[in-house]
Structures are given as structure tokens and as C-alpha cells.
Amino acid sequence: MLSEPASGYDLKKAFEQSIRHFWSAELSQIYPALARLEKDGRLESTAAPSGKGPPRKIYSRTESGLDELVRWLEGGVELKQERVDFLSQVFFLEAIPSDARLKYMQGLRDAFAARCDVLLNIEDGWRSQDPRYPDHLPDADFYPQLTLRLGLMKFRTLVEWADDCLSVMRARSERPPTATLGGRSNVEAF
Amino acid sequence: MLSEPASGYDLKKAFEQSIRHFWSAELSQIYPALARLEKDGRLESTAAPSGKGPPRKIYSRTESGLDELVRWLEGGVELKQERVDFLSQVFFLEAIPSDARLKYMQGLRDAFAARCDVLLNIEDGWRSQDPRYPDHLPDADFYPQLTLRLGLMKFRTLVEWADDCLSVMRARSERPPTATLGGRSNVEAF
DNA sequence: TATGTCATGTAAGTAGTTACATGATTGG
DNA sequence: CCAATCATGTAACTACTTACATGACATA
């Protein structure tokens, strides 16, 4: 994020404008992180006057900082254990009454559709800058655009899934308990 | 997870068997959490002899514990800010050379495909229990199955996205810098 | 006798959130 | 004059991770 020099406050805006779609950070996390990176020699700072308030502290990347970025990227894929709150809720949804379950799932569906719209608006903004979109993007935009594209595919999938869920849930609540084979639940062996 | 009484050690196994696909927890987090929930009256415990090692501590849910579960589910959708490590890497992928970028993306693609296979195997297990799958599931399996279904849709989408990325990346590296309109990058306005 | 599994935990550290503290300048 | 924005931070807390501690029993 410091390919161009910037202050902590600037970085916060960068998070809110684009990066927030897959990562976020508060100022109270950013400031100590910048201080630590400077102490470790990954960054350097210079003070610059600001119109209002305290002077701005402009950070720039050092060689060592760039090295670390490259090591991180060349070290291969980071795939952490996921923690998906809403899937935890869906997993245990049987615990509430049928109408509340439908209401929950409809809420999910709407939330996903809203996120889809946000991303579509961003894409429209890009397209209006250059009608050849998504081709002929400047280098600086190419990889960010790939992340946007995934966001769109993902939320479309999510809406589709929620719609499927709603329809099987409705079908199930209409015709009550059907016989099941075997007996023991699959959950233990999931 | 305590709809049936279980020990902390049992819960860890439940995480590893199914829940890990969207949530995980270590024993060092589980034990203190159980102690806290018992202190707050959400759980009760009884000691039970174990074959080997220390006696098992079997926890069961109280009324108050079930109430809290219901409140959590009826309180509506939890949609936290996402933190997707690999998208952060993709966003900054321009920082490494072209061949390393392709290698990275191929690694991603393979990781997604592997996760797909894991989920497909789980599904096959369910199907072999009852060939009518995904219909006629017992109540205890219905909502867990919806989470599995999303996992499948999601990782298929991810593989598709990575394949798209690989092909546009290759196309781009074959015919070098094309003219771009305007000038300023879209990233700031993402 | 060594390794693996069962079963309980604690301790130290990292990452992230929410709330608070401070103060200048601009616009309504 | 009040609220918003610019701009810096600290403090307290929650969530989670990695490493360590203890010890019984089972199997090779």
C-alpha cells in the first residue's frame, strides 16, 4: 500500500475505498503497525505540515520493506482456516421455528444481493472511465480488477445458493416428515 | 454443538470432522470457553470416568444456554468484514515477476480444486448412506447439508475464477503494454 | 521402551476492536 | 458556535494461536 508514500490516515482511506472488500483495518491498528514497521526498518517517515490538526507523518517503503512484500508473495498461497459467521448460523438453524428460519435466509439473500449491487456499481465506474473495460487496463489496475471480478462471481453464487436454500426449505416445510433410511445422522461423519 | 452432552475433547473432534469447513477452534480455546459458559450458567458439567487419562468432564446445555443460541439466530444475519488472505496477495501481485505471478495463481487454482475434491468426497459419503440424497435427509442433517452445498458451489466458482485469471494473465503477458485512455488509475476509486 | 491416543489444562503472545484523548481548521 | 474533517495517538478488552505441562493407558 506504500508503493507511493502516504500517511496512516491516507492508508485508512485506501482501506475504505477498495481494500475493505477483502481486508480492513482501523486507525488504532494502523498507527502502531506503521511504528513497528519503521522500527524494523521496513519503512521510513518524514513529517509534513498539514492544513489542519497535527503534522502528517508520511511513510515510505524501504528496500527491505519491498523485499518483505516480495517474500510474502513468492512464499506461495496463504489459505487460512476460514471463519464464516453466517455458515455457523445456518448449520444450527434447526434450533429456531420454521418461519424464523425462512426470515433468516431471506435476510441473508438480501444482504448478498446488496453486496452484489455495490460491486456492480464499482464496475460501472470503471467502465465509464474506459469503455473497453475489462480490457486495456493500466498495470496498476489489472490485479485489483481480478479481485473485483471474484467479488462479483462470489456474491452472485451466494445469491443463487440462498435462493436454492429458500426453495428447498419451503418445499420441506410443506410436506412434513418423510421416512429416512438407516437412522444415524451424517453430521458426525461430515 | 451441545445439543447432546459432550466433553471439550469431543467438541474438538466435531470441529475437525465437519465444522472446520467454516469454523475452527483449538482445545486451548475450547476449555476456557466451556469454563466461562458454565460460570455464566449456559452449561452444566458432570465428571465421568475415562478409559485413559484424567476423568472426562461432560457438559450439557441449560435452558439459558439454549435461549442464547435462539437469540443469536433470531437476532439476524452476522456478516462480519471479511479478511481474505489470498485476495490481499492477488491485489498486490504486480510486485513480483510475471512467471512468479503465474506460478502463484496456478497454486491457488490447485488449492481450490483440492478443496473441491474434499467436499465432493464428503458428499459421496452421504450419498452412499442414502441414494436419495440430497432429498429425504433427517432433520439433523438438513441445515448442515446446506452449508456443504455452499462449499461446493463456492470452490467451483473459485476454480473457475482462477482459470479465468490464468488465461487473461497469459494473454496479457504475450502482447505487451497497450495504450490506455485517461491516465490515472482506478485503484484509488475502487 | 517408545510412540500414539485420551484427556485435562495454563501461559505467553499476536491480531483486531471499541472506546477514549487531543487539538486545529473549515463550513454552515 | 457547532459539527465535520484532518490528524495524531493510547488503553482496555476479546479472540485466537502456539507452545508448554501433566499423566494414564495401549500397542508395536
Side-chain angles (χ1 to χ4, degrees), chain A residues 92 94-96, chain B residues 2-3 41-43 60-74:
Chain A
F92 297 113
E94 189 74 33
I96 56 171
Chain B
L2 287 171
S3 61
R42 311 298 187 184
L43 303 176
S60 24
R61 195 166 67 180
T62 62
E63 279 290 311
S64 149
L66 180 56
D67 287 352
E68 185 152 308
L69 172 64
V70 169
R71 257 197 306 281
W72 178 54
L73 293 171
E74 289 184 338

Side-chain angles (χ1 to χ4, degrees), chain A residues 19-24 72 78-80 82 147 150 154, chain B residues 81-91 104 108 112 154 158 161:
Chain A
I19 293 173
R20 105 186 114 96
H21 294 108
F22 50 84
W23 204 271
S24 69
W72 178 55
E78 298 251 338
L79 270 183
K80 293 240 181 76
E82 286 189 279
T147 68
L150 177 57
K154 179 171 145 182
Chain B
Q81 290 272 26
E82 285 189 279
R83 290 200 152 85
V84 186
D85 299 70
F86 75 84
L87 281 180
S88 309
Q89 292 185 308
V90 171
F91 193 88
Y104 177 90
L108 254 192
F112 295 147
K154 179 171 146 182
L158 250 12
W161 169 79

Side-chain angles (χ1 to χ4, degrees), chain A residues 67-96:
Chain A
D67 286 352
E68 185 152 309
L69 171 64
V70 169
R71 256 197 306 282
W72 178 55
L73 293 171
E74 289 185 338
V77 173
E78 298 251 338
L79 270 183
K80 293 240 181 76
Q81 289 272 23
E82 286 189 279
R83 290 201 152 85
V84 186
D85 299 70
F86 76 85
L87 280 180
S88 309
Q89 293 184 308
V90 171
F91 193 89
F92 297 113
L93 210 57
E94 189 74 33
I96 56 171

